[in-house]
Amino acid sequence: MNLLTRLRERSAKRVMEDRLVWQAASLLLAYPDENLAARLAAVDEMLGHISGPAAELLGRTVAALRDLQPLEAAIDYVATFDMRRRCTMYLTYWTAGDTRNRGREMLAFATAYREAGVQPPSDEAPDHLTVVLEFAATVHPELGRQLLIQHRVPIDVLRGALADAKSPYEPTVRAICHTLPVDDDQQARRAQRLAGDLLEAGPPTEAVGLQPFTLTVPPRREGVAGV
């Protein structure tokens, strides 16, 4: 086997592992509804095909979620992602600020999905991290990776906020970071500025009337009614 063939095989293996990390992370970062146990079992199966630090990090979130009672998991999720602005998973919130100014950037996500041959989900905003991860994992890994890289700074801020909150979701976001290029000093400084500018408050809620591609993670929930 020549060097070029080995490099191609190594690259293909990396892409496949990254896709598994993104799919697993999308499942773990979803609202913990009645299907949580099934999603954790699916992630367990994926972990058998993931190597390196990402597998250990994802496994930590799986173990932590398994230790929580359903109501406890739901309350913790809402308190983490719905009540802390620094923990929002709506990526354009970080780059465009107030929701009234986010339309153009959200449209860029929707356009990317359509160019890949799918329609954005109707039950979640196209810039939500779980949606981007699922798109990268199951539809178009190259374009999905580009979207994640373009929003590496918000993802880093999210990871830092989850670490400060000692959240069981932090290892999963760190696993996502392992699939992306190492951030440079400029990105790190920008992340620090973003984190410093935000107060602990509820993130914006915004819906878009778009037709869905198949989304295996549940949409964001308002509160914990019905849990």
Side-chain angles (χ1 to χ4, degrees):
M1 184 183 299
N2 60 38
L3 177 61
L4 182 58
T5 300
R6 289 199 299 271
L7 290 175
R8 285 174 176 168
E9 290 183 353
R10 187 178 305 169
S11 177
K13 183 176 184 294
R14 179 200 168 198
V15 170
M16 180 55 66
E17 286 201 10
D18 286 350
R19 293 177 71 174
L20 288 170
V21 171
W22 297 333
Q23 181 68 85
S26 183
L27 295 172
L28 292 174
L29 293 174
Y31 179 85
D33 64 3
E34 65 277 4
N35 295 315
L36 175 61
R39 292 201 303 274
L40 294 180
V43 173
D44 271 338
E45 186 174 352
M46 294 176 198
L47 291 180
H49 304 280
I50 300 173
S51 61
E56 187 270 335
L57 290 167
L58 294 168
R60 284 166 57 185
T61 300
V62 170
L65 293 179
R66 280 212 172 98
D67 284 342
L68 296 177
Q69 295 297 317
L71 181 58
E72 184 183 7
I75 291 174
D76 178 71
Y77 186 94
V78 171
T80 299
F81 295 111
D82 292 4
M83 304 304 293
R84 291 186 175 96
R85 184 175 297 181
R86 288 180 61 205
C87 292
T88 181
M89 286 194 279
Y90 292 97
L91 298 179
T92 65
Y93 178 75
W94 299 98
T95 55
D98 189 87
T99 58
R100 289 171 296 180
N101 302 320
R102 290 167 57 207
R104 180 177 300 176
E105 294 198 20
M106 292 180 71
L107 179 61
F109 279 88
T111 299
Y113 300 156
R114 291 192 179 98
E115 288 178 351
V118 296
Q119 293 295 321
S122 61
D123 52 3
E124 185 57 273
D127 65 326
H128 196 273
L129 181 57
T130 60
V131 177
V132 183
L133 290 167
E134 179 132 344
F135 171 77
T138 65
V139 178
H140 199 303
E142 181 178 348
L143 188 52
R145 186 188 300 275
Q146 291 175 12
L147 290 172
L148 291 169
I149 291 173
Q150 289 167 9
H151 294 82
R152 171 65 189 261
V153 170
I155 294 171
D156 278 337
V157 175
L158 171 61
R159 187 208 58 75
L162 293 173
D164 290 343
K166 296 180 173 55
S167 170
Y169 296 102
E170 187 274 338
T172 287
V173 177
R174 199 168 0 139
I176 298 168
C177 293
H178 274 286
T179 68
L180 307 176
V182 177
D183 54 343
D184 56 26
D185 290 341
Q186 183 177 3
Q187 287 177 313
R189 288 194 297 271
R190 185 183 172 205
Q192 290 175 349
R193 287 197 302 271
L194 281 174
D197 288 343
L198 292 173
L199 299 174
E200 293 288 338
T205 59
E206 189 166 5
V208 290
L210 299 170
Q211 296 302 311
F213 62 81
T214 301
L215 186 64
T216 61
V217 299
R220 175 180 176 276
R221 302 289 184 87
E222 296 293 341
V224 294
V227 175

